[in-house]
């Protein structure tokens, strides 16, 4: 991690106005093989990239409310199913259908997978999936799963700000995008772009968006205070984290890391926080701009 010798400095602890709203993040919620409580409803989107860890993939799909393949992602799922004798039928496939194989599409269509073909060449297959999830048809599905969650989950009786706000905000689904930053560089940058673009597209209504790669969970922290629950001791997450100012420079303060900073300016080409380490059950990051947060996976297999 690059640490400045001046300008900002360090404080051993940080203090905050208790009235300030805190954005809650739970990147490990969908990594439990047998979660103590049902995770809030979330959708899994399968991209057209190799599924390198099929155990992890099946684990996150096990409790998903919706599973959607982005065009050729259906080919990846079919290959995995044949290779490991996995019986997983996605709820839908979305895209312009220029990548999915005809026989694969017919196979899953016959099993009940809904096909949404969108010929728009000015949006990616991932964007098409995100927009379809915001359609009235899938909204009704989302409401049903939130009703089930509130009925069955012990968390429903807890004054959990993140849960209550999600219910209030039209019961949106969190999204877990299964992909990789390896391979083609342009596709890697496209995935990062989508994390930023979700908030800017009026046609997309969703909860928190997480990108799950074979080695990390990546998400976009919002301006202001963010609290990330990091159960490293449970081996769901690893200790290595990064805070990356992709879009524009930011001033950040942190608490719960090995090398905490206070009012520290971070900017590409100057200083960026990478290879820091989690040292608490939760990490707080206060930031003046949206920044990318990465944390590696623990012993999930």
């Amino acid at each position: 991690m690059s640490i400045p010798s001046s300008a900002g400095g360090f404080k051993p602890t940080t203090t905050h106005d208790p009235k300030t709203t805190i954005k809650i993040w739970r990147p490990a919620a969908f990594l439990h093989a047998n979660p103590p409580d049902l995770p809030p409803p979330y959708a899994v989107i399968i991209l057209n990239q190799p599924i390198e860890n099929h155990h992890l993939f099946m684990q996150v799909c096990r409790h998903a409310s919706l599973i959607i393949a982005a065009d050729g992602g259906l080919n990846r799922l079919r290959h995995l199913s044949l290779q490991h004798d996995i019986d997983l039928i996605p709820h839908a496939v979305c895209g312009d259908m220029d990548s999915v194989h005809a026989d694969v599409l017919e196979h899953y269509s016959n099993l009940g997978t809904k096909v949404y073909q969108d010929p728009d060449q000015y949006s990616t297959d991932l964007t098409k999936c995100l927009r379809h999830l915001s359609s009235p048809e899938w909204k009704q599905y989302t409401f049903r799963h939130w009703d089930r969650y509130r009925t069955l989950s012990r968390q429903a009786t807890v004054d959990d700000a993140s849960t209550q706000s999600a219910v209030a905000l039209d019961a949106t689904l969190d999204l877990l995008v299964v992909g990789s930053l390896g391979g083609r560089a342009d596709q890697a940058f496209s995935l990062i772009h989508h994390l930023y673009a979700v908030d800017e597209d009026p046609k997309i209504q969703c909860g928190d968006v997480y990108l799950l790669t074979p080695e990390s969970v990546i998400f976009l922290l919002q301006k202001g205070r963010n609290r990330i629950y990091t159960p490293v001791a449970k081996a769901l997450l690893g200790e290595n984290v990064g805070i990356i100012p992709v879009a524009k420079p930011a001033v950040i303060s942190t608490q719960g890391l090995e090398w905490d900073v206070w009012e520290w300016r971070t900017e590409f080409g100057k200083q960026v926080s990478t290879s820091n380490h989690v040292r608490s059950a939760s990490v707080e990051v206060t930031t003046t701009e949206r920044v990318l947060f990465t944390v590696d996976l623990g012993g999930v297999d």
Side-chain angles (χ1 to χ4, degrees), residues 192 196 220 244-250 267-268 289-292:
I192 299 302
Y196 280 86
L220 192 65
I244 317 296
V246 175
K248 59 180 68 175
E267 179 180 359
F268 270 130
E289 300 292 343
R290 294 182 296 172
V291 290
L292 210 64

Side-chain angles (χ1 to χ4, degrees), residues 8 14 52 106 141 151 170 183 192 231 236 282:
T14 59
E52 299 180 22
E106 181 181 9
Y141 197 92
T151 300
D170 210 16
I192 299 302
L236 297 173
S282 66

